[in-house]
Amino acid sequence: MAAENTDRRDSSGRAASAEPDRAVSEFTGVAILIAVTVLVTASVGLSVLVANSTQTGDRSANFSFQYIDGSSVLIIYFDRGDQFRAGNLTVRGQGAEATWAALSGAEPSALIGPQSPDSTVQISARNPYGQRVSGDENVRIVYTPGTGNETVLQRWGGA
């Protein structure tokens, strides 16, 4: 009986070993792991930044004003923008202020926006504002969240 040749050769003619060939070098494997770690860390960091900015992000609204000189009344129209709780909007003038809820008769927790029934208020001496409005008065619409900084949404600088 002749001895069988158990020597195996691969397609390139090299002797095949019992150990499998490595498909990826160690350096490439480490580089891929580092890249994946950086990508995951960046995506988590970005999502935290985006989530924070949407929770406390800038609120915006546009108001228009109509001053009635003979009555010393300023009518404020909520034209467009984000919705706000009526108790978190304040109309401030020189020496007087009132919340949108008090001026409109809405509940402080009611949402106020351009399409809401309470989207128009007037300030005068005969309502919770409690003071006549002069033609050169500086009036501000201020958003005050439960926590955080106040934001001046719009100003009226007189007629």
Side-chain angles (χ1 to χ4, degrees), residues 2-158:
E4 288 185 29
N5 185 2
T6 58
D7 187 21
R8 293 189 188 168
R9 305 239 175 227
D10 64 9
S11 61
S12 65
R14 289 184 298 188
S17 67
E19 294 181 29
D21 289 337
R22 285 189 276 164
V24 179
S25 73
E26 291 176 19
F27 175 77
T28 305
V30 170
I32 289 172
L33 286 175
I34 290 173
V36 167
T37 303
V38 168
L39 285 173
V40 168
T41 304
S43 65
V44 168
L46 184 62
S47 68
V48 167
L49 289 175
V50 170
N52 276 345
S53 69
T54 57
Q55 290 173 358
T56 62
D58 295 335
R59 306 288 305 266
S60 67
N62 289 339
F63 299 87
S64 58
F65 303 91
Q66 180 182 2
Y67 180 66
I68 302 171
D69 190 22
S71 302
S72 297
V73 170
L74 181 64
I75 301 172
I76 304 169
Y77 303 96
F78 194 146
D79 290 333
R80 64 179 179 257
D82 297 326
Q83 289 187 329
F84 298 89
R85 301 253 178 240
N88 292 355
L89 283 181
T90 305
V91 179
R92 289 190 184 147
Q94 296 165 340
E97 71 176 46
T99 65
W100 199 278
L103 293 168
S104 68
E107 290 293 321
S109 61
L111 287 176
I112 303 298
Q115 303 301 320
S116 67
D118 299 312
S119 63
T120 302
V121 297
Q122 75 174 19
I123 57 173
S124 69
R126 289 176 260 157
N127 65 18
Y129 188 74
Q131 174 175 302
R132 295 172 57 95
V133 181
S134 66
D136 62 346
E137 189 164 344
N138 185 11
V139 175
R140 297 174 315 278
I141 313 294
V142 180
Y143 168 63
T144 308
T147 59
N149 296 329
E150 295 181 340
T151 303
V152 175
L153 298 173
Q154 189 138 5
R155 298 177 192 269
W156 179 74

